[in-house]
Amino acid sequence: MRRYLLLFSALFFLACSKGEEPAKQLSSLTYSMNGAREIPNIGVPSEVSSLRVGDSLAGSSNAPSCLVPIPNDANGLYAFAEGPTLLTGTDRSYKIIAALPQEKPIIQILADEQSIYAIHLSGTIHAYTLDGKKKWDVTQSVMLSCTAVIAQNLLVVASDSAITSYDLQSGRRLWSHEITGFGKAMLFDKKTNLIVVAGIAERNGKESDSLICFSGAGKIISTCSLPFMRIVSNLSLCGEKMDKIGFGCIELPSSESAVRTLRVVIYDGIETGHPKQVSVHEVPYIPMNISSNGGMLLSSGFREDESGIDAFASDDTLHLWQRRFTEPMVAPVVVNAKYAYCIQSFATQAQTPSKNIFYTIDLSTGKTMSELPVTGANSGALRGMPMPIAGKAFALCSQSNSMIYFLRP
């Protein structure tokens, strides 16, 4: 019996070691670096608690924002910003890591198991250890134009003129490439070690968006032009093998038509320089946010009074289900293998319990599993995407007051 137990333990360990490792580099804007916004399964939240942060008044620009978990921290440690100030916290307390009143507000935070990287509106980047020791800082001469990514030992940022990488340990600039136009979205594929950037390029004297693939050493691997197309979302790896890229776009008028259609598209072969369109789906809203658990891709966004979520198969042309809402779908939808999670905020000037609803949606059917009211956020606004804390709860920031909310099963 003991031999069988030892054999079972060895096989179990081997099976686990072959699986994908837990995410060790996280972003406040996209969670993981591949843009898929795929998170652990936290179940169906049914309880809400909150933590008051500082003395900010309702409507203050210093309400908490840019929340991101610290990877693999069992105590649920996370980093967040309050204007230009960088903090860390749990569900019970918080502390200031760096007070930078001379800086512009922090617009993105990235984290690994040892460090926190804060990017300011001005383009300045500060790196700190988890206990608040300064590692390095970089003053950018230009504003950053899209989400930054951590690509193994690099921090890669895009501006209106270049793609630039910095060494995570020292902050030393390693390489930089000038680009036409500006970077609009970016992801890192850890299987191929390629960085994919969406930008603007010239084609036959006319502007069109393109996807540029860089190696970690800064070499351009491929450039794929996308005629008559404007990318309006994040880039997301998708497909059962995570070998495809999905995004939302507006198709520009061609010489044959003046219609501007809103589409969700999935491409294969981008990273080899041989793009092939796997599927294209028209939607009635601006598809601003894309998420994927591999086999399924979700699009969400809004346009005037039309808002919704659509689910598509990543490897073929199937449209699986759709949801429509009467209020804007602003915050990103996050997914795992079983659920999609999203927030619907209903505009109001009062603190009304029913104006911020956290939805848990069954991914297989698109049906609502739960509607959980989140109270106390004025104007019905919860900021950013739901962030998983230690795999046990979601954390959400209020856009209008000094509160962080925690949602648990």
Side-chain angles (χ1 to χ4, degrees), residues 189-216:
D189 184 350
K190 69 178 183 180
K191 291 191 302 182
T192 61
N193 291 325
L194 293 180
I195 302 146
V196 183
V197 182
I200 296 177
E202 294 284 339
R203 181 181 175 89
N204 298 327
K206 296 183 179 181
E207 285 188 348
S208 66
D209 278 6
S210 63
L211 295 176
I212 309 169
C213 297
F214 296 91
S215 70

Side-chain angles (χ1 to χ4, degrees), residues 29 37 232-234 248 264 285-291 297-302 329-333:
L29 294 179
R37 295 168 174 164
V232 295
S233 75
N234 59 300
V264 177
Y285 53 83
I286 300 173
M288 300 168 57
N289 294 300
I290 303 296
S291 56
L297 181 140
L298 267 66
S299 161
S300 63
F302 69 95
M329 177 67 65
V330 179
V333 178

Side-chain angles (χ1 to χ4, degrees), residues 216-262:
K219 180 182 178 181
I220 295 179
I221 304 300
S222 67
T223 300
C224 301
S225 181
L226 305 170
F228 307 112
M229 190 177 293
R230 279 284 179 270
I231 296 173
V232 295
S233 75
N234 59 300
L235 303 177
S236 173
L237 286 181
C238 60
E240 291 290 350
K241 298 181 180 180
M242 281 292 191
D243 55 353
K244 300 174 177 62
I245 295 178
F247 54 88
C249 65
I250 298 176
E251 293 206 357
L252 302 180
S254 63
S255 57
E256 293 80 20
S257 173
V259 177
R260 296 168 64 95
T261 53
L262 305 169

Side-chain angles (χ1 to χ4, degrees), residues 74-362:
N75 296 317
L77 188 68
Y78 57 88
F80 67 102
E82 195 177 35
T85 302
L86 181 65
L87 308 94
T88 58
T90 65
D91 60 347
R92 299 190 179 189
S93 64
Y94 66 91
K95 67 177 181 179
I96 294 175
I97 291 291
L100 304 165
Q102 75 281 5
E103 294 288 354
K104 296 289 186 182
I106 295 169
I107 58 173
Q108 184 182 2
I109 298 175
L110 302 101
D112 55 31
E113 292 177 305
Q114 294 82 34
S115 306
I116 302 169
Y117 311 90
I119 300 176
H120 296 259
L121 182 62
S122 60
T124 299
I125 306 171
H126 288 87
Y128 290 87
T129 61
L130 299 185
D131 57 2
K133 295 179 180 178
K134 185 177 178 180
K135 293 179 62 176
W136 51 265
D137 63 73
V138 171
T139 301
Q140 300 269 82
S141 59
V142 292
M143 291 179 60
L144 304 185
S145 58
C146 73
T147 60
V149 298
I150 297 177
Q152 294 183 332
N153 64 328
L154 305 176
L155 176 62
V156 186
V157 299
S159 71
D160 57 359
S161 60
I163 308 297
T164 306
S165 77
Y166 298 94
D167 180 81
L168 279 187
Q169 298 305 314
S170 66
R172 181 170 62 92
R173 190 171 79 165
L174 298 178
W175 51 262
S176 184
H177 276 283
E178 292 186 1
I179 59 172
T180 303
F182 56 92
K184 303 175 71 174
M186 181 160 42
L187 63 78
F188 172 61
D189 184 350
K190 69 178 183 180
K191 291 191 302 182
T192 61
N193 291 325
L194 293 180
I195 302 146
V196 183
V197 182
I200 296 177
E202 294 284 339
R203 181 181 175 89
N204 298 327
K206 296 183 179 181
E207 285 188 348
S208 66
D209 278 6
S210 63
L211 295 176
I212 309 169
C213 297
F214 296 91
S215 70
K219 180 182 178 181
I220 295 179
I221 304 300
S222 67
T223 300
C224 301
S225 181
L226 305 170
F228 307 112
M229 190 177 293
R230 279 284 179 270
I231 296 173
V232 295
S233 75
N234 59 300
L235 303 177
S236 173
L237 286 181
C238 60
E240 291 290 350
K241 298 181 180 180
M242 281 292 191
D243 55 353
K244 300 174 177 62
I245 295 178
F247 54 88
C249 65
I250 298 176
E251 293 206 357
L252 302 180
S254 63
S255 57
E256 293 80 20
S257 173
V259 177
R260 296 168 64 95
T261 53
L262 305 169
R263 301 186 187 277
V264 177
V265 296
I266 298 175
Y267 274 87
D268 195 3
I270 291 289
E271 295 174 334
T272 62
H274 301 287
K276 178 182 178 182
Q277 195 175 86
V278 175
S279 64
V280 56
H281 303 275
E282 189 170 337
V283 292
Y285 53 83
I286 300 173
M288 300 168 57
N289 294 300
I290 303 296
S291 56
S292 177
N293 63 2
M296 184 182 295
L297 181 140
L298 267 66
S299 161
S300 63
F302 69 95
R303 184 185 187 186
E304 298 176 348
D305 58 351
E306 186 76 43
S307 177
I309 305 173
D310 287 80
F312 308 104
S314 297
D315 294 305
D316 55 42
T317 60
L318 290 178
H319 186 178
L320 302 175
W321 52 261
Q322 68 180 38
R323 295 288 302 272
R324 296 291 179 259
F325 301 94
T326 57
E327 296 291 329
M329 177 67 65
V330 179
V333 178
V334 296
V335 298
N336 52 47
K338 191 172 183 180
Y339 301 115
Y341 303 97
C342 64
I343 308 158
Q344 271 280 272
S345 293
F346 301 85
T348 177
Q349 296 302 314
Q351 293 186 356
T352 308
S354 63
K355 297 303 179 182
N356 294 273
I357 307 297
F358 187 87
Y359 285 84
T360 303
I361 297 173
D362 186 334

Side-chain angles (χ1 to χ4, degrees), residues 17-60:
S17 66
K18 289 183 178 181
E20 185 155 350
E21 295 182 359
K24 295 182 180 180
Q25 297 172 328
L26 303 177
S27 163
S28 62
L29 294 179
T30 60
Y31 187 67
S32 59
M33 301 301 129
N34 64 10
R37 295 168 174 164
E38 183 179 11
I39 62 166
N41 182 4
I42 297 178
V44 181
S46 59
E47 298 179 357
V48 181
S49 62
S50 62
L51 174 68
R52 181 171 292 279
V53 179
D55 298 318
S56 301
L57 299 176
S60 168

